[in-house]
Amino acid sequence: MDHLYHAHRLLAGSAESDIEFFELAAQAIAVATQSRCGGVGFCAPDSVALNVVALWDGDELGDPFSFPIPGSPCEQLYNKAETGESHIHYESNCQKLFANSELILRLNGESFRAQIIMDDNQHIIGHIFSMDDQPRTDQPGVRDFFELLSNRLSTEHRRVGQQEKLHRNANIVALTRNMLSFVDKSFTYHAVSQGYVDAYGKSHDQLIGSQAGDIHGEAVFNRVLKPLLSRTFNGESVNSQIWIHPPNIAPKYIDIVQTPYYEKDGSISGAILSGHDITAQKITEQTLQKLSLAVTHSPILTVITNPDGVIEYVSPIVEKITGYTTEEVIGQTPRLFKSGRTDPSVYKELWQAIKSKQPWQGEIENRRKDGSLYWEHISIAPVLDEQNRLIAFVGNSMDISERKEMEWQLQQLASTDPLTGVFNRRHFLEEVESHLAQSERYKSPLSLMVLDIDRFKSVNDNGGHALGDIVIKQFTQICEQTIRNVDILGRLGGDEFAILMPETAADEALILADRLKMAISQYQIQHESHTLQITTSIGLSTYQNSETLRDSVQTLLARADEGLYAAKKGGRNLIGYV
């Protein structure tokens, strides 16, 4: 097993880039299988060619190349993947079996082994392979090594994609004409848009790394910007209007929204600033004391109040939106629409802003005359005279009930499995990651179960996908009825589920797993005239946190998968603990 140890040591080596890691992986494959060649390849969706991005050939790296998948052993691998198989091994005879394969001819392959690489959506994105000019029998541990490396390469592939996306987004920000930036808690700019370049006449490189006081002037920074940014660094989203004084051009009045930037651990590392020039609006504020004919017929509800909040004007659309006539509204205050369901902190922020003669915008849930509820996006601005005295408030609102309902539905779709209603794979793994952090912090136990339905494929083959869906739904119900309130159930895909058990050590987790296995085996599913009885195989792992092993989401899940594999191999309807 020394070759597997050396292969793992290679993978633990330092890699400056994704290509260097792929090259280490290719060498590790060759070492693990004791073969002449090891390779890593990726393919685009629906492509008939594999791009080998890293190849270890003998004692050195080979050049990247592409070859057609049809006619090669890789084609057999991809065909088997459709039936759930992800691994293939030809001990010998590859030159006879695949005599016309460009890959076999190029590398003089006699034996061949490969493992599928999949993305988070279980789509094939490539595979890893080993090849030798001599026959190679199967060896203990090699298949597990291929599976672990395949999962790691899938993660690396996703990370590279995310890096490319971040780079693309950074370029988009840099080209934006509006003023968009990121400022850290030391008041240093780390990203600025083209809007800053246009306003201040400096390049991106000159602006990035500069202190806010250097760009805006110490007086404006200390009097205006620093207090606003400090609020955002304390977790508050701030919408404000400020004067900026770029060199060589007239001052600009900017509507700016400051949003805290949260790191994965929940800490705030800075603020995202988004601003646009509203100088013209500021100069013409006095003209907004009276509503024009356009405002009267606007689909947006406009309200003007005196400084005490008594409504003096409301546009006619108020009746369509709220059910109240203009006569019923004028002379009242906006409390007329209050539902009692909006967070009090929203009203507190609103009043703090308008009492300070600052505009405010936000979302409020109000109540119509008939008692029904609706959501509004509201913007309120103070109207000041030439002496900066408050003479009125102008409010504009739009019914956003449909948008809020859509947002809620999208949130549900993003986090739940549509068939079963439990957490989907992505959200479940986020829960695992969150609880791992808690277990590490508080030194508390944590266990994970991975389970699937034994011989589920035969259910689909004999009863069709409709029966398969029924079985999965009822399987989910049994799990929900059996596990505890603190446990978290998720569907990883197909008939594979997982259960996270916080504050649960191995002995207690085994008891729960056995109870669940028994509950499932005793349950009978009625479908048409048939009675179907199912069983489940369960893989169980517990969180390890020591000097030699500290679990991540991937390792905890991998060990549970190993347990599931052992339970399947042992005859099914068993519990495998790793």
Side-chain angles (χ1 to χ4, degrees), residues 291-300 302 313:
L291 294 173
S292 66
L293 185 63
V295 173
T296 302
H297 295 285
S298 172
I300 296 176
T302 301
Y313 173 87

Side-chain angles (χ1 to χ4, degrees), residues 45-57:
D46 302 322
S47 174
V48 295
L50 185 80
N51 297 316
V52 179
V53 298
L55 175 71
W56 183 262
D57 189 357

Side-chain angles (χ1 to χ4, degrees), residues 27 49 111 154 157 248 266 290 304 309 323 355 379 421 468 487 544 571:
Q27 184 180 359
S111 58
S154 175
H157 186 270
N248 304 321
K290 302 294 180 180
I304 297 179
K355 284 181 179 179
S379 299
D487 299 328
Q544 303 293 321

Side-chain angles (χ1 to χ4, degrees), residues 238-268:
V238 181
N239 177 214
S240 58
Q241 288 75 41
I242 62 173
W243 285 102
I244 64 172
H245 301 270
N248 304 321
I249 60 174
K252 293 179 180 291
Y253 197 66
I254 304 298
D255 182 2
I256 187 167
V257 177
Q258 300 168 194
T259 305
Y261 185 83
Y262 290 90
E263 299 292 348
K264 288 185 177 180
D265 62 1
S267 65
I268 296 174

